[in-house]
Amino acid sequence: MKAQSQLPSVTPIRLPTELRDWLKHQAIDNRRTLGNEIVFRLEESRERQLAAQQPSK
């Protein structure tokens, strides 16, 4: 059984139809569910933003 903190929360969101359709096609191409495609893209965006905030060495 998963720990309580590992259970995904449900967050219904409204998307413009055109964006939802595009994401759905991207999910199919990437062999993901629509939800997994959205999570993947959000995590990718977060990683890019965090990397951009890191000071240069």
Side-chain angles (χ1 to χ4, degrees):
M1 191 166 142
K2 288 186 177 181
Q4 184 70 17
S5 64
Q6 292 179 343
L7 293 175
S9 62
V10 176
T11 306
I13 61 171
R14 294 180 184 167
L15 297 172
T17 302
E18 184 178 309
L19 179 58
R20 185 181 191 287
D21 290 345
W22 179 80
L23 280 167
K24 193 170 186 177
H25 288 288
Q26 294 299 303
I28 291 167
D29 291 346
N30 294 318
R31 298 177 186 230
R32 297 185 184 110
T33 64
L34 177 58
N36 285 342
E37 185 71 21
I38 292 168
V39 169
F40 175 83
R41 289 171 178 273
L42 287 171
E43 287 176 342
E44 194 175 63
S45 176
R46 177 178 63 177
E47 289 173 12
R48 280 194 311 268
Q49 184 176 357
L50 291 173
Q53 292 173 349
Q54 295 296 320
S56 299
K57 291 184 179 182

